[in-house]
Amino acid sequence: MAEIKAIGGDVVLVDGPDLAKRVAVETGKAPIALALDGVGDTSTTNLLGCLTEKGVHVFYSTISGKPSVVPAAPFIFRDLSMRGFWLANWFNRAKPDQITRMYDRLAPLVASGAISTPVAGTYRFSEIAEAVAVASKNRGKALFTAG
């Protein structure tokens, strides 16, 4: 939790069955329109409970390795929707001008430090096995250098 706060997280909560109540308290009952789920399993149910009517739940990973637990009631009674997102799919469909606009928007944010990603290490291409092992532990990006 301290790590997330250190990189700019305003509110950091640990998942649990009472997540929706804790989110409501921490946000002053602000309507939550979007939930990003990289875990799956019962975390999906807990995130659905945080969403406002017509909210959208987006999967981008299932790091738990378990199927998501998805009750029907929130979709029926609160008109929620769910979808998946994989960046490679967006790149495959995007037109060159869309990609350029995205980088034009992101580059100043990266340059200013407003958004960043931790770097786990810098490696030569001959060290690819070590780089993949470090990156697969989700502790940052592995960067490659020439030479």
Side-chain angles (χ1 to χ4, degrees), residues 7-82:
I7 61 171
D10 296 320
V11 175
V12 182
L13 302 171
V14 175
D15 185 30
D18 64 339
L19 183 65
K21 289 178 186 175
R22 291 182 288 129
V23 166
V25 168
E26 292 293 330
T27 64
K29 296 186 180 180
I32 308 298
L34 174 65
L36 302 175
D37 188 349
V39 178
D41 197 11
T42 57
S43 292
T44 302
T45 298
N46 299 335
L47 285 171
L48 291 173
C50 299
L51 289 172
T52 191
E53 187 174 329
K54 297 188 186 282
V56 179
H57 177 281
V58 177
F59 285 105
Y60 66 91
S61 181
T62 56
I63 200 165
S64 71
K66 297 178 181 176
S68 293
V69 177
V70 183
F75 296 94
I76 297 167
F77 300 114
R78 294 191 359 249
D79 199 18
L80 302 184
S81 62
M82 185 178 279

Side-chain angles (χ1 to χ4, degrees), residues 97-110:
D97 63 308
Q98 291 174 303
I99 296 170
T100 299
R101 282 196 312 273
M102 179 199 55
Y103 280 116
D104 285 347
R105 185 174 177 192
L106 292 176
L109 296 171
V110 172

Side-chain angles (χ1 to χ4, degrees), residues 82-118:
M82 185 178 279
R83 62 167 296 137
F85 174 79
W86 192 245
L87 187 58
N89 290 339
W90 182 83
F91 271 106
N92 287 335
R93 288 189 305 271
K95 295 182 172 114
D97 63 308
Q98 291 174 303
I99 296 170
T100 299
R101 282 196 312 273
M102 179 199 55
Y103 280 116
D104 285 347
R105 185 174 177 192
L106 292 176
L109 296 171
V110 172
S112 73
I115 60 173
S116 64
T117 187

